Amino acid sequence: MTQHDPVTQHDPMPQHDPVDPVGLGSPAGRYRMLRLIRGFEELALGLVKSGEITGGIHPYIGQEAVAVGVCAALRPQDRITSTHRGHGHVLAKGAAPDRLLAELLGRTGGLNRGRGGSMHAADFSLGVLGANGMVGAGGAIAVGAAWSARQAGEDRVAVAFFGDGALNQGVLLESFNLAAMWRLPVLFVCENNGYATTLPAATAVAGSATGRAAAFGIPAAEVDGMDTEAVRAAAAEAVERAASGGGPGFLECRTYRFEGHHTMERLMKLRYRTPEEVADWRALDPLPRAAALLPPGRAGQLDASVAQQLDAAREFALASEHPDPAGALEHLYADGLRPRTGSGA
Amino acid sequence: MRLSYTKALNRALTDALAEDPAVCVFGEDIGAGMAGPTLNLLDRFGPGRIVDTPLSEQAFTSMAIGAALTGRRPVIEFQIPSLLFLVFEQLVNQAHKFSLMTGGQSAVPLTCLVPGSGSRDGWAGQHSDHPYGLFAHAGVKTVVPATPTDAYGLLRSAIADPDPVVVFAPAAALPVRETVTWELAPVPLGSARIHREGTDVTVVAVGHLVHDALAVAEELAPEVSVEVFDPRTLHPFDWTALAASLERTGRLVVIDDSNRSCGIGGEVIATAAEGMRLVAPPRRITRPDGTVLPFAPGLDRALQPSRGQLRDAIGEVMKHRAPVRPHGEGPAR
Ligand SMILES: Cc1ncc(C[n+]2csc(CCOP(=O)(O)OP(=O)(O)O)c2C)c(N)n1
């Protein structure tokens, strides 16, 4: 195989490594995941444009270093909650790109059998407790997961990803208090991409993000969110502290989304960022920075391997079946209670 | 044994905690057992399972959801029914939606217990709502027990259920006591109870109003045969039992201590009108549209369903005589 398949020969995604099943343990593996997320988003953007994905998505392009850096610091048993901009987190925790894409397309082969879509993608088998459409909602859910792990005597850390916009949701601040009072193994990861939709964080967040966590006695650090290795180092420290009983941590990752808030944004012709600002941040693209850590030629090989994987994902997702409308309310109740039919059913 | 309603809830929690180590309780002042149902639980089960929370309803409700998603069976006790409005996001938007949104990957076995729902003397506008209809409307499993044994049995079933369930213990039912000579047992969700059989009119009474309906039925017994129907759970509702009851009586009065418009009373009547046997136009007794309970006791009472209204409504529906059925059709009356 070595001769004929130089691409997969070095594929850093070991299929059966129980400690590092997603393969984020090496710089090559992390680069590969950055590329996978980037490529996945580009593919999804194309499918939105062609009308195959209905409703649009919130692209993660530009912020990949945060998901990859944080998830590289996690163990398989650790859990995450995610946001409306969640594809990167879900992939970096190990979800299969083909099933995530099928979910975005609303197909039966999707992670959520087509019932969740982009904003609710979840994979409980990997500890992905769901992307969430309500800003800030995942924060306290992660606190609950951390509490429950501790009660069960399990060594698991929970990570809550959220944006700068979520910093103004009361429930998130309430959950800082609970996590700190009870010294729960939870890591709050604020992806400060500078905007909540069009609202600049500079005009919305009084004080500082880290200051808010620090006010609750939670150790808080600010980190370059365009640098995978910096995020990973900061996250590893916080995860280790949380796992060894040191209580919650908070990371503010300074990052940027290169695309619009949502794929509808282009149609709306919103203007809230200057082209110069976008260009300045694009110059900090996490991908070339991660590629620079690899031996010459390696990044290109990994790119090719990712491209193959995404082709296969696209094929899988588009071939997956649409759910039967007769089952539109399946899974509404875990106990199988059948709701009465309405006029639409 | 004389069992009080509050003690029944306490017994249900105690038994559920003893039986299943995944069960835990969250709430304000529950360590001291302030509201009653959680009395002595902290001593017996410890702070790892009986969690006195800060005043952070949204966070501890979300937290309970996170715990439920990862293997616990949390029960939250809410001090005030109106707090449910604060956590509508958590209960309706998160807990209730998780199973469907994740395509069945997850379940949220969360129970919310609201002891003291509805009017309590002197608690006024922000402490006197009885918001069960909102949850039934949203599709969250909704339970309103009327008696101590049902309170025990329904709370046990709620805790064992894999879905979120809100259990409303009406303030006016808390003083009810019952002589219990049998072993307490779970009561399945979605099963109605007929407290008194009758042949002229079915009175569907929710929660504490079951006791008012029974009193009125007793009073009217010489002239009217009233069937007192307690749905016990509003969602899922036992429509089969209601249809059977209306087969017997053909007349329907609903008495429900929540607001009129879009309320559960309207739903019961609409469903009956769509496909059940009715020989008279049905009536409903509720709080007025959009009620906020005023403080002065006389004003508070004036807005709640009363026995007098029930008597009048029964009188109204009894004015209509059943059409004479040809021989051999329908059940004998
Ligand atoms: C509680 C809540 N308020 C408003 C919205 C609508 N909304 C969706 S995303 C968004 C902006 C979120 O900004 P931020 O948290 O910074 O995350 P980002 O989009 O930058 O990743 C808003 C206002 C929502 N989904 N939930």
Side-chain angles (χ1 to χ4, degrees):
Chain A
M1 132 183 224
T2 42
Q3 234 113 27
H4 306 292
D5 197 354
V7 171
T8 51
Q9 180 193 356
H10 301 288
D11 192 325
M13 276 180 61
Q15 296 304 300
H16 302 293
D17 183 343
V19 181
D20 183 23
V22 189
L24 302 184
S26 68
R30 295 193 281 280
Y31 173 80
R32 188 184 194 286
M33 183 57 76
L34 292 167
R35 174 58 72 191
L36 180 70
I37 297 171
R38 175 73 51 94
F40 182 92
E41 294 291 72
E42 286 165 348
L43 173 55
L45 284 175
L47 291 168
V48 169
K49 216 173 225 174
S50 67
E52 261 140 328
I53 290 177
T54 30
I57 57 169
H58 301 81
Y60 193 63
I61 293 175
Q63 302 184 203
E64 297 91 341
V66 181
V68 176
V70 170
C71 290
L74 298 181
R75 293 107 17 115
Q77 73 266 31
D78 294 331
R79 296 171 168 137
I80 66 167
T81 61
S82 174
T83 70
H84 56 284
R85 199 178 303 289
H87 309 158
H89 312 137
V90 175
L91 288 171
K93 192 69 175 69
D98 52 356
R99 296 197 55 214
L100 179 60
L101 192 64
E103 188 55 37
L104 267 51
L105 286 155
R107 307 298 176 99
T108 50
L111 286 174
N112 308 21
R113 301 185 169 95
R115 268 68 174 183
S118 165
M119 277 195 282
H120 305 305
D123 190 335
F124 275 65
S125 70
L126 298 167
V128 180
L129 306 185
N132 205 304
M134 301 310 293
V135 168
I141 293 177
V143 170
W147 180 85
S148 125
R150 194 176 64 188
Q151 289 322 112
E154 297 166 351
D155 173 22
R156 297 178 197 255
V157 171
V159 173
F161 290 99
F162 51 87
D164 45 282
L167 287 170
N168 291 323
Q169 285 288 319
V171 65
L172 192 72
L173 301 174
E174 287 183 17
S175 67
F176 288 176
N177 186 56
L178 298 186
M181 287 304 302
W182 296 335
R183 293 181 78 77
L184 295 175
V186 59
L187 173 59
F188 298 105
V189 177
C190 175
E191 289 187 78
N192 185 351
N193 61 14
Y195 295 87
T197 315
T198 66
L199 183 72
T203 69
V205 182
S208 65
T210 48
R212 291 185 180 199
F216 291 92
I218 299 176
E222 190 189 313
V223 55
D224 177 356
M226 306 303 275
D227 180 347
T228 312
E229 300 306 315
V231 173
R232 185 177 68 101
E237 196 184 313
V239 167
E240 203 180 302
R241 187 179 54 241
S244 57
F250 179 99
L251 285 188
E252 178 192 7
C253 302
R254 292 296 192 104
T255 183
Y256 202 76
R257 59 171 158 73
F258 296 169
E259 298 288 322
H261 167 71
H262 185 274
T263 41
M264 309 288 199
E265 188 176 311
R266 232 170 262 209
L267 304 174
M268 300 194 236
K269 300 208 167 30
L270 297 178
R271 253 184 243 125
Y272 57 94
R273 321 191 286 188
T274 62
E276 294 74 33
E277 181 185 295
V278 179
D280 286 351
W281 280 92
R282 276 188 180 275
L284 302 173
D285 192 329
L287 267 76
R289 290 169 83 171
L293 304 178
L294 306 181
R298 187 78 182 96
Q301 286 175 345
L302 293 166
D303 290 352
S305 135
V306 165
Q308 272 184 9
Q309 194 182 4
L310 288 173
D311 281 348
R314 184 176 199 281
E315 205 167 304
F316 169 88
L318 287 168
S320 179
E321 284 183 21
H322 293 278
D324 177 356
L329 281 182
E330 270 168 22
H331 314 298
L332 179 57
Y333 297 100
D335 71 352
L337 169 68
R338 304 297 293 182
R340 286 195 293 165
T341 49
S343 55
Chain B
M1 180 188 62
R2 288 288 280 175
L3 181 67
S4 80
Y5 194 109
T6 301
K7 183 70 192 160
L9 295 173
N10 182 252
R11 286 270 299 273
L13 289 175
T14 307
D15 291 353
L17 283 154
E19 218 165 80
D20 181 354
V23 175
C24 51
V25 187
F26 290 83
E28 290 159 6
D29 306 299
I30 62 169
M34 200 176 83
T38 56
L39 200 65
N40 298 327
L41 295 184
L42 180 62
D43 285 346
R44 173 139 179 218
F45 299 101
R49 297 180 66 196
I50 310 303
V51 186
D52 246 330
T53 59
L55 278 62
S56 307
E57 291 79 15
Q58 302 196 23
F60 70 65
T61 304
S62 302
M63 198 183 146
I65 293 167
L69 287 170
T70 53
R72 311 283 103 191
R73 288 189 173 274
V75 180
I76 302 176
E77 185 195 76
F78 286 98
Q79 275 187 346
I80 303 168
S82 323
L83 296 178
L84 293 174
F85 300 140
L86 279 181
V87 296
F88 225 59
E89 141 68 10
Q90 281 71 27
L91 296 181
V92 174
N93 223 4
Q94 306 285 342
H96 175 55
K97 294 183 178 175
F98 248 90
S99 176
L100 182 133
M101 289 194 308
T102 61
Q105 288 181 70
S106 62
V108 183
L110 169 70
T111 302
C112 295
L113 173 61
V114 192
S117 188
S119 167
R120 284 187 279 181
D121 284 349
W123 288 54
Q126 290 172 339
H127 289 64
S128 304
D129 293 303
H130 212 358
Y132 45 73
L134 295 174
F135 290 90
H137 176 72
V140 178
K141 293 178 179 175
T142 304
V143 178
V144 195
T147 66
T149 46
D150 280 349
Y152 176 91
L154 290 163
L155 181 54
R156 287 301 306 271
S157 295
I159 296 171
D161 198 90
D163 293 312
V165 184
V166 185
V167 180
F168 290 88
L174 297 180
V176 173
R177 280 162 196 281
E178 196 177 351
T179 302
V180 181
T181 52
W182 60 92
E183 200 151 315
L184 294 169
V187 170
L189 303 186
S191 67
R193 171 172 175 185
I194 294 184
H195 286 264
R196 178 192 174 106
E197 292 187 0
T199 51
D200 290 329
V201 52
T202 298
V203 171
V204 173
V206 178
H208 61 285
L209 294 170
V210 165
H211 304 289
D212 293 278
L214 285 168
V216 169
E218 188 60 37
E219 232 177 82
L220 298 181
E223 308 104 61
V224 190
S225 169
V226 176
E227 176 142 313
V228 177
F229 182 101
D230 173 4
R232 300 198 286 196
T233 57
L234 300 181
H235 184 78
F237 195 101
D238 193 346
W239 299 114
T240 312
L242 181 64
S245 174
L246 290 175
E247 250 340 293
R248 289 189 285 276
T249 65
R251 296 186 187 84
L252 173 63
V253 175
V254 185
I255 181 162
D256 149 34
D257 183 27
S258 68
N259 295 352
R260 192 172 191 84
S261 192
C262 304
I264 193 78
E267 183 57 37
V268 171
I269 285 177
T271 303
E274 276 175 341
M276 298 180 192
R277 176 173 172 256
L278 286 176
V279 301
R283 315 283 299 189
R284 71 187 137 145
I285 303 152
T286 64
R287 294 183 185 186
D289 277 347
T291 294
V292 175
L293 282 192
F295 169 70
L299 302 180
D300 172 322
R301 290 291 132 62
L303 298 181
Q304 288 180 58
S306 69
R307 292 183 185 184
Q309 290 170 325
L310 181 56
R311 260 180 245 116
D312 293 348
I314 292 172
E316 284 293 318
V317 299
M318 287 308 296
K319 283 184 192 157
H320 297 262
R321 298 177 57 90
V324 180
R325 292 183 186 209
H327 280 296
E329 249 187 54
R333 303 191 67 231

